[in-house]
Amino acid sequence: MMTAVLITVDTELSSLLHERGMGLQDNVRSSIWGEAEGRAYGIGWQMDKLESHGLKGVFFVDPMPALLYGTEFLRPIVAPIVARGHEVQLHIHSEWLRWARHSPVSGQLGRNIGDFSQADQAILLRLGKAWLEEAGAPPITAFRAGNFGANDDTLRALADVGLAWDSSVNPAYHRYGCRISGARDQIAPSHRFGVGELAVSGITDRRGSFRPAQICAMSAGEMRTGLRHAVRESHAAYVVVTHSFEMLSRDRKRPNHAIMRRFTSLCRAAARLPGLTVCGFHDLPPDLASTAPASHNRVPPSRVRTASRMAQQLWASWRYERRLIPA
């Protein structure tokens, strides 16, 4: 059995930059297209890298700023993703309800979708799904909660709305808003409350410590180790996460070439390592979550591997974040 690799990109405007006064178009340029120093390092750059290795990405697009700006801003984001053969799925940051012109949930507010009742979650999911499909996306079948802030009612609401897949479980967030049952320990795909759950993958970097398969969190070597382990242990799926703006420095003013090299390394490894198939949710067998073995395990800790990544992180922060030496 091939291990399905899903390279997922949370594609979202920044509510924090909006709160600080940034307008829609500047937010789109910074958060979606990743523009800095006269070039773009966002979803266009990511699609270029994926395609150069013959790969497909999954772009979880957050439509919730439409509560404030209307839906037209979505079309120029959705259209190139679809036209280039990648997948659009639903992402929701409920923080945008603070600025809604007309609240679809009677003025209820919450940082995470899991802060809402099951009925209100279903309203938000239906609304987001409709907006993305009206913007040109094929039928939406998968969801990821902003901040990974989902709960069991989110899965029930997804089943009510008719979405087949969720990818809101991230064991690194089990104390920070991810309240889906068993989130801390999930590795293998599971089927709960009528929905297939694909958790964000990762490794054990220190005893009792989970390191998610996120581009900014794992070194290239750790990512390759995680992928090889998934194949060796016959994992059904390996889910990687990044963001549309993650190739930039934290202040969004310059590209972070260390993170960009990690993304390129991931693409190279996913394309070359035997036993892997890179795909989207539309490509998964419908029974994957109910038939996958539950006995998956994670890469065990390695002091040498963790120390190497920490040294790389320190160098990258010095080089690309603090600008202590010329770039």
Side-chain angles (χ1 to χ4, degrees), residues 87-267:
E87 195 170 282
V88 173
Q89 298 292 359
L90 176 60
H91 191 47
I92 284 182
H93 274 275
S94 56
E95 300 101 310
W96 288 96
L97 285 162
R98 291 172 55 192
W99 302 287
R101 294 177 179 176
H102 304 287
S103 173
V105 289
S106 303
Q108 298 297 312
L109 300 177
R111 180 174 185 266
N112 300 320
I113 193 170
D115 297 332
F116 296 80
S117 69
Q118 181 180 331
D120 282 348
Q121 291 192 52
I123 289 171
L124 295 175
L125 291 167
R126 285 193 181 93
L127 192 61
K129 180 178 185 294
W131 282 345
L132 289 179
E133 291 173 357
E134 290 167 6
I140 300 298
T141 59
F143 171 73
R144 175 176 290 151
N147 313 312
F148 300 99
N151 62 7
D152 288 347
D153 278 345
T154 310
L155 303 185
R156 296 184 181 99
L158 286 166
D160 290 344
V161 172
L163 273 67
W165 297 100
D166 179 69
S167 188
S168 299
V169 167
N170 185 334
Y173 282 72
H174 79 278
R175 295 180 180 174
Y176 307 103
C178 186
R179 302 197 304 273
I180 294 174
S181 300
R184 180 177 184 178
D185 301 315
Q186 183 174 345
I187 303 173
S190 65
H191 194 267
R192 285 182 282 177
F193 308 108
V195 176
E197 178 66 52
L198 262 64
V200 172
S201 300
I203 65 173
T204 304
D205 66 338
R206 287 170 289 181
R207 186 176 178 85
S209 176
F210 173 80
R211 195 79 182 172
Q214 182 168 346
I215 302 299
C216 69
M218 268 194 193
S219 70
E222 286 174 320
M223 190 71 77
R224 287 193 298 272
T225 297
L227 290 168
R228 290 191 181 106
H229 178 84
V231 172
R232 186 168 58 250
E233 299 295 320
S234 299
H235 287 198
Y238 194 88
V239 179
V240 180
V241 62
T242 187
H243 291 79
S244 48
F245 50 80
E246 201 162 305
M247 305 302 117
L248 299 181
S249 59
R250 283 187 286 271
D251 62 9
R252 309 278 184 93
K253 292 183 178 180
R254 64 193 69 86
N256 185 324
H257 291 282
I259 302 299
M260 293 166 65
R261 284 192 291 271
R262 288 183 185 180
F263 189 88
T264 302
S265 175
L266 164 66
C267 293

